[in-house]
Amino acid sequence: MKRAGYILFIFSGILFIFISCGKTTTPSAVKIIKDYDSVKFDYFFVEAVKLKVLGNIGEALKFFEQCLKINPESGAAYYQMAQIVMSSGDIISGKKYLKQAIRNEPANIWYLLMLAGTYYQEAKLDSAILFYEKAAARNPSKDDMLITLARLYSENRKFDKALEIYEGFERKYGINQSSTADGIKNLIWSGRYDEALEKAQLLLEQYPDEILYNGLLAEIYRGKGDQGKAMEVYDKLMQRNPGNPETQLSLCDFLLTEKKYDDLLMLLNTVILNALVTREDKLSLLASMIETPDIIKEKSDAMKLSLMIMEAEYANDHIVQLLRPELLSQEKNYKEASARLEEVISEHPDNYFAWEKLLLVYLDAGETKKLEERGKECATRFNRSFLAKILYATGASENENYATSLEELRKADILAGSDKNMKMQVLSIKADVLYKMKN
């Protein structure tokens, strides 16, 4: 949530521009290596773009292919084709088209940026950096491009390279809001806390009330092992900005890390009721707490009350309804967990996630009769669910209803398609069933 989030946001924006807004724009610099019928090319290209805008992507691709027959050196046609296939989910073909566009027009930064963004979405940081470096080299005066490259270096743990860029900005602009905070984060992640502290203090001299910068200061103190000073920073932040979501979440993260569970639970309900804190951030915090064994062991009752408050705030949210059963499952209190899930299903029978969790609870509890009974209902109601059929088959097998189990495994195998891991799961269970049948 901390390091990759803001880079992902930038690249998501880039891809959105290329795949959505890019449908109405075309890079202008077309490389011309040989003579070709430009009038005919322009006709097909304009028609292709019109078809693309109208959503007729199949016909649009055919027209772009005609463009390439006329001028195989057109990077723009390959670029447009990459947009089309990527918007349809075909990333592999999209990358091939982009690479060809770059071979045809290596100076076009839009092609380079789109390919870099695609690699980033695939978590292939080295490749993303390679093409982003090429784009930045074509436009070295573009500050936001250099900042993004520095962030990529940080995420890929190339801290020294990132530092070179941030120091360049500091020489150019001094301590500033555009790049200094990112430079401090880079120093924190590389463990250079003293340097980070020095820069954070300089930044806070200019912007003493900025929540983000104070949060960085607290993080530096935490990294240095000075929890007392970190807590002082959080206390001041809470006094000045008691309802600020970033402050509340940062303090919760600090209290969780420092195992100050009483203080954390006192703040937790405030966070849950704060409309400025996003649902996703609340879910992330609660999930982290549920996954903490000490909280389950020592503070279970207080957590349950907080989860009930969360349920009241998001009454019809299918994911929120699973938090309390998850907590009960972590306690191995399968009876209460299944009872709560049965309540949820009774009120919201279309909540697939509750059905899935219920079956898993019955499996963990060894309630094979219930697993088969409810598994049958779930597999029927959600006919395309691979997991429902697997769990139903497991329950039936445990109850020696082998014919039922094998039939559900047959259906699961169809749903598995070409996924090798899913098919291996089906075969493994099938082998177990046949063994029980002494076959």
Side-chain angles (χ1 to χ4, degrees):
M1 186 172 75
K2 291 179 179 178
R3 186 180 303 183
Y6 65 94
I7 301 179
L8 181 59
F9 171 79
I10 288 171
F11 272 116
S12 296
I14 290 171
L15 286 179
F16 178 80
I17 291 169
F18 287 144
I19 293 173
S20 299
C21 299
K23 291 178 180 177
T24 59
T25 60
T26 305
S28 58
V30 178
K31 182 180 179 181
I32 302 174
I33 295 182
K34 64 178 183 178
D35 293 332
Y36 67 95
D37 189 340
S38 61
V39 174
K40 193 173 181 181
F41 176 90
D42 290 345
Y43 166 77
F44 279 113
F45 194 91
V46 171
E47 288 300 312
V49 171
K50 285 196 307 189
L51 288 164
K52 180 184 168 190
V53 171
L54 293 171
N56 194 343
I57 59 176
E59 288 299 311
L61 282 172
K62 291 179 182 178
F63 273 79
F64 282 126
E65 286 169 359
Q66 289 298 319
C67 291
L68 291 171
K69 287 180 181 178
I70 299 167
N71 177 20
E73 308 299 336
S74 169
Y78 279 113
Y79 173 75
Q80 292 286 338
M81 292 170 77
Q83 289 181 347
I84 290 174
V85 297
M86 282 187 174
S87 66
S88 302
D90 187 352
I91 304 300
I92 294 174
S93 296
K95 288 194 296 186
K96 287 180 181 177
Y97 288 140
L98 278 173
K99 287 176 182 177
Q100 186 58 54
I102 291 168
R103 278 193 288 269
N104 288 353
E105 299 177 39
N108 192 305
I109 65 168
W110 301 109
Y111 307 165
L112 294 165
L113 287 175
M114 186 176 180
L115 188 55
T118 303
Y119 277 122
Y120 183 83
Q121 294 285 8
E122 294 180 317
K124 296 177 179 177
L125 284 180
D126 287 332
S127 296
I129 287 171
L130 173 65
F131 286 98
Y132 211 93
E133 283 174 336
K134 291 181 179 181
R138 298 287 179 184
N139 201 346
S141 62
K142 195 77 171 175
D143 287 354
D144 55 351
M145 196 175 289
L146 288 172
I147 287 175
T148 302
L149 180 57
R151 289 170 176 171
L152 281 171
Y153 284 142
S154 289
E155 187 174 354
N156 206 31
R157 304 190 63 80
K158 296 180 178 179
F159 301 118
D160 289 340
K161 283 195 169 187
L163 187 60
E164 286 178 19
I165 295 176
Y166 290 127
E167 287 178 343
F169 276 106
E170 197 167 315
R171 286 192 297 271
K172 187 175 180 181
Y173 301 113
I175 297 295
N176 66 90
Q177 288 186 293
S178 298
S179 63
T180 302
D182 284 346
I184 292 169
K185 291 174 188 175
N186 180 66
L187 290 168
I188 292 172
W189 296 333
S190 61
R192 298 161 74 164
Y193 295 110
D194 290 333
E195 294 173 63
L197 178 61
E198 182 181 341
K199 291 188 184 299
Q201 289 171 336
L202 290 172
L203 194 58
L204 284 165
E205 284 178 10
Q206 297 183 36
Y207 310 99
D209 296 322
E210 177 60 50
I211 295 167
L212 171 63
Y213 307 154
N214 280 280
L216 287 174
L217 181 62
E219 193 173 340
I220 292 166
Y221 283 133
R222 285 170 61 186
K224 288 169 67 68
D226 196 337
Q227 313 306 338
K229 284 190 176 181
M231 196 65 219
E232 285 178 18
V233 175
Y234 283 122
D235 283 341
K236 289 178 182 177
L237 282 172
M238 288 295 291
Q239 289 170 14
R240 290 187 223 157
N241 309 278
N244 183 272
E246 292 177 2
T247 301
Q248 289 182 357
L249 289 169
S250 184
L251 179 54
C252 284
D253 182 53
F254 171 77
L255 295 171
L256 181 61
T257 303
E258 296 305 311
K259 300 184 179 181
K260 297 179 180 292
Y261 300 133
D262 289 327
D263 293 335
L264 174 58
L265 286 161
M266 286 178 61
L267 179 59
L268 180 59
N269 293 340
T270 302
V271 173
I272 290 172
L273 295 171
N274 187 345
L276 297 176
V277 179
T278 67
R279 164 190 172 276
E280 289 71 25
D281 282 336
K282 293 175 187 178
L283 285 172
S284 179
L285 172 61
L286 290 166
S288 297
M289 294 178 70
I290 291 171
E291 291 169 1
T292 303
D294 287 345
I295 292 180
I296 301 299
K297 183 179 178 181
E298 302 169 15
K299 307 294 178 183
S300 176
D301 289 341
M303 271 296 296
K304 287 172 190 171
L305 287 173
S306 294
L307 293 175
M308 292 172 75
I309 293 172
M310 184 74 174
E311 289 168 10
E313 281 292 292
Y314 298 89
N316 297 311
D317 191 299
H318 287 185
I319 302 300
V320 170
Q321 292 166 349
L322 303 184
L323 293 173
R324 192 151 42 110
E326 182 62 33
L327 172 64
L328 293 164
S329 296
Q330 293 286 345
E331 291 182 310
K332 301 191 183 305
N333 187 347
Y334 300 123
K335 185 176 180 180
E336 282 191 40
S338 60
R340 173 58 188 151
L341 286 163
E342 292 283 11
E343 284 178 13
V344 172
I345 288 170
S346 176
E347 295 170 8
H348 305 280
D350 60 335
N351 186 343
Y352 168 75
F353 303 108
W355 278 97
E356 182 181 290
K357 183 62 183 175
L358 178 65
L359 298 186
L360 290 169
V361 168
Y362 282 141
L363 178 67
D364 290 339
E367 294 273 1
T368 58
K369 293 290 185 185
K370 285 285 189 182
L371 176 60
E372 182 181 1
E373 176 190 334
R374 297 303 258 163
K376 180 179 180 180
E377 292 180 58
C378 183
T380 302
R381 181 182 290 273
F382 304 99
N383 193 42
R384 303 295 299 171
S385 169
F386 172 82
L387 183 59
K389 296 194 183 302
I390 287 290
L391 291 170
Y392 177 25
T394 301
S397 173
E398 291 297 317
N399 294 316
E400 299 184 1
N401 293 325
Y402 301 127
T404 298
S405 181
L406 290 172
E407 174 59 16
E408 290 307 303
L409 289 172
R410 183 188 68 81
K411 296 175 184 176
D413 187 57
I414 294 171
L415 292 173
S418 60
D419 188 302
K420 291 182 180 180
N421 290 329
M422 293 167 72
K423 282 189 171 293
M424 286 294 290
Q425 192 173 355
V426 171
L427 288 170
S428 176
I429 298 171
K430 185 177 180 181
D432 184 60
V433 174
L434 294 170
Y435 178 80
K436 289 178 180 176
M437 295 171 68
K438 302 186 185 305
N439 187 346

